[in-house]
Amino acid sequence: MRSDSVTKGVQQAPHRSLFKALGFTMEEMERPLIGIVSSQNDIVPGHMNLDKVVEAVKIGVAMAGGTPIVFPAIAVCDGIAMGHMGMKYSLVTRELIADSTEAMAMAHAFDGLVMVPNCDKNVPGLLMAAARVNIPTIFVSGGPMMAGKMGDKRTCLSDMFEAVGAYNAGKITLDEVEEYENKACPTCGSCSGMYTANSMNCLTEALGMGLRGNGTIPAVYSERIRLAKHAGMKIMELLEKDIKPRDIMNNEAFLNALTVDMALGCSTNSMLHLPAIANEAGVHLSPDIANEISAKTPNLCHLAPAGSTFIEDLDEAGGVYAVMNELNKKGLLKTDLITCTGKTVAENIKGCINKNHEIIRPIENPYSQSGGIAILKGNLAPDTCVVKRSAVAPEMMEHSGPARVFDCEEDAIEAINAGKIVSGDVVVIRYEGPKGGPGMREMLNPTSAIMGRGLGSSVALITDGRFSGATRGASIGHVSPEAAVGGNIALVEEGDIIKININNNTIDFMVSNEELEKRRAAWKPRQPRITTGYLARYAAMVTSGNRGAVLEVK
């Protein structure tokens, strides 16, 4: 065992003395040491209950003969960080989480790990760490929030953000905003729609790194505690069988995850995180493969923000495994892959029936024949950009309109709230990419303001930043190359006609090559917005959105 290097032999007597200072007995030191990575804190609603999940994991580990040892991971609440300087620090925490977990796992010679994340960057950050450290590892999340209720209507965080836009447009009163405020987020847990946190938690099941229900069992259910105990027990089986993350997360597993992503209609952020996780596992996952998978993968779910159903409904309908079983009817998954259950995908999903054909459409009757995410290319995004196709109004699948250009999110918000954006416009927000932001801020405030003003079916938004999983509408992000490195989005001028065709996966602005070259010759790089601290180091090392915004030593 790896832990022998800190617990066995005369040379390790000093190490054992420190374990004894912690209160460990010799009996505990003779068992496998299992690190439990707890993302619990008191600022993220999805993480406030993780202490209970961690305690359950500890019980499971001990029941199965291991010694559980807890250490922390940080977490940012994207909702609280939204729309101000704090959002620059959201995506960048993914790398901090991966790096710090690697440091703790390697420094203390753990034999296995149980990851206990929940919200947006913790799941991918810990998956990156799992692939990098590559010792037996399993995931158990804190679970999704229950939907809120306003009268007969269920509601969620995306409704809350759109309510602010509706108020600014004079469509609802301040009292109605306050009612949303009191009812949109009624329990602990990751926000209740198919936003980034729930997307990534569901994809842990598709990847094979989380047990059945990990992505969907509500945070407030006691079933979540039982799941955590089973995860604690299961890590000991993985250790015994020597099943490691890279045995599970191979190329075919990532293709499975992308396929499930398309069927569920996950957050566009999955197109940042899956390539980054794959990179740590030694797998190249090009964003171009997404359209190939989308073309043959039906979209089976329209959970919020794409529709009016929630993660709790997906759980009742059979969860991720039921979706996978539907996909398997047409042979769309590789099913002989080993998973953290110790069994194959085929064995896991056998008999997992679809219990509600309104929540999970049968594969013979999908919402659409193609998947929920589309990758677009054109002279506006020569590398790629991404859109959540399943959350776009049908009339916006093809759109042409004049560019309204803003060099930061704040300027765009001011214009939208002042009524300066009108039907037909294409809002361009640039210099918000991984380097330019720095930190690639989410644009939930401007997209919600557009939806709240009733412009969701007539205005598109394009950015080299990214979008919250709560975003809906013709919101196109991750434009690569980004403006900060001289990508063509930096050359767009006010009034340029932009043509978007999501059905054909194209995005262009109607400017001749000669004019583009003239503008490129006149373009000058901007001075960095931030020159000190972690964000400055991040900006110096980060790659583009189409590569997952991973850090790279130049």
Side-chain angles (χ1 to χ4, degrees), residues 298-319:
N299 178 224
L300 305 182
C301 299
H302 266 193
L303 301 160
S308 57
T309 54
F310 300 89
I311 302 297
E312 65 201 72
D313 303 314
L314 177 60
D315 188 62
E316 291 291 331

Side-chain angles (χ1 to χ4, degrees), residues 74-249:
I74 63 167
V76 163
C77 177
D78 275 24
I80 294 174
M82 194 70 64
H84 60 92
M85 177 68 178
M87 182 44 69
K88 293 180 185 290
Y89 284 90
S90 169
L91 178 62
V92 305
T93 64
R94 187 187 70 184
E95 271 55 37
L96 286 175
I97 291 159
D99 291 350
S100 60
T101 302
E102 173 199 0
M104 289 293 287
M106 298 304 291
H108 300 105
F110 290 109
D111 297 301
L113 296 169
V114 182
M115 307 294 201
V116 189
N118 209 22
C119 291
D120 294 18
K121 306 311 166 294
N122 291 80
V123 186
L126 291 179
L127 281 165
M128 289 166 70
R132 190 186 301 173
V133 175
N134 200 36
I135 60 175
T137 302
I138 194 168
F139 278 67
V140 56
S141 77
M145 185 183 288
M146 303 293 284
K149 285 196 74 175
M150 288 186 62
D152 293 334
K153 181 189 175 219
R154 291 195 297 168
T155 188
C156 58
L157 183 65
S158 51
D159 292 332
M160 178 72 255
F161 274 91
E162 290 178 19
V164 175
Y167 171 76
N168 287 332
K171 295 187 173 186
I172 64 174
T173 67
L174 197 57
D175 285 344
E176 289 173 294
V177 173
E178 187 175 355
E179 187 177 5
Y180 272 107
E181 184 180 325
N182 290 330
K183 295 180 177 178
C185 300
T187 70
C188 64
S190 48
C191 296
S192 55
M194 189 53 82
Y195 310 145
T196 305
N198 291 326
S199 295
M200 294 309 301
N201 280 322
C202 286
L203 293 181
T204 61
E205 294 188 53
L207 275 171
M209 292 296 292
L211 299 177
R212 181 183 182 183
N214 185 52
T216 59
I217 297 169
V220 295
Y221 283 13
S222 297
E223 186 181 358
R224 173 67 52 183
I225 301 300
R226 298 197 297 272
L227 180 76
K229 291 177 182 176
H230 283 296
M233 289 185 270
K234 187 60 71 172
I235 189 61
M236 300 307 296
E237 181 183 329
L238 294 174
L239 184 60
E240 182 184 352
K241 294 179 177 178
D242 195 31
I243 298 174
K244 301 185 182 76
R246 290 188 197 175
D247 299 325
I248 296 169
M249 292 192 288

Side-chain angles (χ1 to χ4, degrees), residues 417-492:
N417 288 339
K420 294 179 181 178
I421 302 301
V422 300
S423 178
D425 284 348
V426 179
V427 176
V428 176
I429 305 177
R430 61 193 181 187
Y431 295 100
E432 291 285 8
K435 283 185 181 293
M440 205 178 188
R441 286 194 287 182
E442 287 185 345
M443 302 290 168
L444 182 56
N445 276 1
T447 57
S448 297
I450 288 168
M451 298 302 295
R453 297 185 78 86
L455 297 171
S457 59
S458 61
V459 168
L461 193 153
I462 299 169
T463 182
D464 53 8
R466 62 195 179 92
F467 294 109
S468 163
T471 289
R472 61 192 178 106
S475 302
I476 299 165
H478 310 188
V479 170
S480 300
E482 62 174 292
V485 298
N488 284 357
I489 189 172
L491 309 180
V492 178

